[in-house]
Amino acid sequence: MADFVSDSQPIPGTVDLDLRLVRYFTVVAEHRHFGRAADALHITQPSLSRQVQRLERELGARLLDRTPQGTRLTEAGEVFLAEAKALLRAASQAAVRARAAAQPHRMTVGFTSGIIVTPAVRAVRHRHPDAEVLTTHLTWDDVHHALLDHRVDAVVTRLPFRTEGLRVTVLYDEPRVLIVPLDHRLAGKEAVTLDDIADERLPRTADPVRSAFWRFEPRPDGRPAPDGPLIEAVEDKFELVAAGESLAVAAQSVGRVLRPDLTMVPLEGVEPSHVVVATRANDRNRLVTAFRKAARDHLTLDA
């Protein structure tokens, strides 16, 4: 018969770490000074020193060295710090997941600019009148973290974004359009292609994958896309176009709510924007399941 380890018995060589001590260590490592760390933790410096020494005894390794300039990490401390931070994050997420499982009557739906989630939210509220379904706006670069940190339970947004650990379903595709000033040479055309904007500057975003999608990088002919200004929000994009600093590409629905000094022109021969619903891959919350179905049934390009 194969050997096994019972859940009720300790595994040889393991250490039962006190998460409070682990947190104390990470604060000292962050401040590189016991006095400032003690102030941040609202405990006395002698008490903090004793707690860190206790952790070092449990680990069997010295983590910190005191110096005249403050405190520095030992080699073992450097190694343990990364693991300690991951351990604290995992513990926090476990607590959040446990609370979420104990309260399946509540969920939060995230959405990004230019996305409408109202029909799906109404459908879930109608089907589960006892449930509390909240909504919150997210920035483009916060989608992945917001889901994995359990700040939201579902997000309706546009690809591309990081999808590790997520379940992502395409709801619909939306054409992309070119945003230009009213007096631009391309304004009023029935449609344009990438050849028409080959030399035009297009804004960049901090996320290289997202930036490449909206700037069409690499270009089919191998030429680099002309460099454009860095933006964070759709409003930044519109302001730059109106000021004549660049053109911009947006989803068709975003183009429908332009300011009066801008206009949109259809872009031909490019991949459309994909609107998706994303949830945590292992989330079995009944409300999350209900929202995924409602999103597929009720969220369309005309929603």
Side-chain angles (χ1 to χ4, degrees):
M1 180 180 295
D3 293 336
F4 70 94
V5 178
S6 169
D7 290 341
S8 61
Q9 296 182 3
I11 302 174
T14 60
V15 177
D16 292 327
L17 291 179
D18 185 333
L19 291 182
R20 181 172 56 95
L21 303 184
V22 175
R23 177 170 174 265
Y24 285 173
F25 161 72
T26 61
V27 175
V28 176
E30 175 186 352
H31 288 274
R32 294 294 199 272
H33 193 279
F34 271 89
R36 290 192 292 270
D39 290 340
L41 291 165
H42 304 292
I43 62 176
T44 65
Q45 183 173 334
S47 175
L48 177 58
S49 295
R50 289 194 298 272
Q51 302 299 342
V52 172
Q53 289 169 1
R54 177 183 162 192
L55 175 64
E56 290 176 324
R57 287 195 300 271
E58 290 182 358
L59 291 172
R62 192 176 76 258
L63 303 175
L64 298 161
D65 280 336
R66 292 179 183 268
T67 71
Q69 291 75 34
T71 303
R72 68 175 183 84
L73 290 167
T74 65
E75 185 174 347
E78 293 280 3
V79 171
F80 184 67
L81 179 59
E83 301 294 339
K85 290 180 177 179
L87 180 62
L88 293 174
R89 283 195 301 269
S92 176
Q93 290 178 3
V96 170
R97 290 172 181 170
R99 287 194 293 268
Q103 297 178 337
H105 60 283
R106 177 174 179 168
M107 76 170 296
T108 301
V109 176
F111 62 95
T112 53
S113 296
I115 298 292
I116 295 175
V117 297
T118 310
V121 170
R122 283 179 173 171
V124 175
R125 287 173 178 164
H126 178 75
R127 186 172 181 82
H128 300 276
D130 60 321
E132 184 178 11
V133 185
L134 308 175
T135 59
T136 185
H137 179 267
L138 297 174
T139 58
W140 300 108
D141 58 354
D142 197 29
V143 170
H144 189 258
H145 291 300
L147 279 166
L148 294 191
D149 291 346
H150 287 250
R151 285 184 280 125
V152 297
D153 302 292
V155 177
V156 181
T157 185
R158 302 179 190 279
L159 291 174
F161 58 90
R162 289 179 57 195
T163 59
E164 308 96 288
L166 304 182
R167 179 183 176 189
V168 179
T169 302
V170 175
L171 299 175
Y172 58 88
D173 289 342
E174 186 174 355
R176 286 189 281 177
V177 298
L178 182 69
I179 307 299
V180 301
L182 291 177
D183 58 355
H184 192 272
R185 62 183 177 84
L186 297 176
K189 283 186 170 293
E190 291 187 5
V192 294
T193 67
L194 286 183
D195 289 338
D196 295 315
I197 59 172
D199 298 319
E200 297 283 357
R201 301 175 74 211
L202 297 177
R204 297 174 291 115
T205 62
D207 181 350
V209 175
R210 183 170 182 77
S211 190
F213 180 78
W214 291 101
R215 286 166 48 79
F216 308 105
E217 297 175 310
R219 296 290 170 89
D221 60 4
R223 294 176 59 191
D227 205 11
L230 186 66
I231 64 167
E232 294 184 0
V234 172
E235 291 75 17
D236 297 331
K237 182 184 294 187
F238 291 167
E239 178 61 31
L240 289 169
V241 175
E245 296 184 44
S246 74
L247 301 186
V249 177
Q252 186 180 71
S253 60
V254 176
R256 290 172 180 163
V257 290
L258 289 176
R259 43 194 279 177
D261 52 352
L262 302 178
T263 186
M264 67 176 180
V265 184
L267 260 173
E268 292 185 342
V270 298
E271 179 184 0
S273 169
H274 307 289
V275 176
V276 302
V277 56
T279 59
R280 290 178 290 277
N282 59 352
D283 198 329
R284 295 177 177 81
N285 185 313
R286 68 185 177 102
L287 292 180
V288 172
T289 300
F291 182 80
R292 289 188 63 88
K293 182 179 185 307
R296 293 193 300 269
D297 292 344
H298 296 279
L299 300 187
T300 66
L301 184 56
D302 299 321

